[in-house]
Amino acid sequence: MKAVVLASALVAGAAEAAQIVCVTQTPSSRDWVPDQVLIELDSERLEAAVLDEFTLEALGGPVRVQFKQAGRRKLQLSWELVGATDRQGRKQNVNFRMTLNMARGTFTYNGIGESFYLAPGSASGRCAAVPNS
């Protein structure tokens, strides 16, 4: 259900962009690791947006991200949220990094907050393209 709500928020306004849903499978820490991440990629314009529980809480929707192709089938995304709320209810600034392996349908993810109370969050998991409707 959460995926459908997040996907509908991300899809609004997306004409020809590819949409990808990534589901966390092996978090090393729950700090700054969402259950899933939705990504909208426009490879022609080299633009991307990310939506997860942290961007939804901090911004009410997706965030535009830095996007670069790290190889033939790898993409690297990075973004920062200012004033994001952690699971303990504290607000802080957080830097996020995500690498997608498009050939394997996998990703690695980390979120590093400015507070020393929380361990940097990291995870890996699987991704799949969302079919166009």
Side-chain angles (χ1 to χ4, degrees):
M1 178 66 164
K2 187 193 264 186
V4 173
V5 172
L6 292 176
S8 63
L10 187 63
V11 172
E16 298 179 22
Q19 287 137 16
I20 300 167
V21 63
C22 298
V23 178
T24 301
Q25 293 179 325
T26 55
S28 66
S29 163
R30 292 299 304 154
D31 297 332
W32 302 120
V33 175
D35 294 328
Q36 62 187 6
V37 179
L38 296 170
I39 304 160
E40 181 179 283
L41 293 173
D42 187 333
S43 56
E44 288 183 16
R45 293 164 140 172
L46 294 178
E47 294 179 348
V50 166
L51 181 67
D52 64 20
E53 63 193 76
F54 302 115
T55 63
L56 198 55
E57 184 272 327
L59 303 173
V63 63
R64 292 276 170 212
V65 301
Q66 305 255 340
F67 162 56
K68 70 177 183 178
Q69 192 145 2
R72 191 168 161 202
R73 299 294 290 165
K74 284 191 178 179
L75 304 174
Q76 289 181 333
L77 309 174
S78 60
W79 64 100
E80 179 181 26
L81 292 180
V82 176
T85 303
D86 65 28
R87 286 187 167 81
Q88 287 75 34
R90 294 183 294 257
K91 289 198 179 277
Q92 62 178 293
N93 302 334
V94 186
N95 290 309
F96 295 95
R97 305 279 180 268
M98 188 171 190
T99 301
L100 297 153
N101 184 322
M102 303 302 282
R104 292 184 180 164
T106 60
F107 75 94
T108 58
Y109 175 100
N110 65 47
I112 301 173
E114 62 188 4
S115 170
F116 61 87
Y117 292 110
L118 298 176
S122 63
S124 60
R126 310 256 341 138
C127 295
V130 175
N132 291 337
S133 48

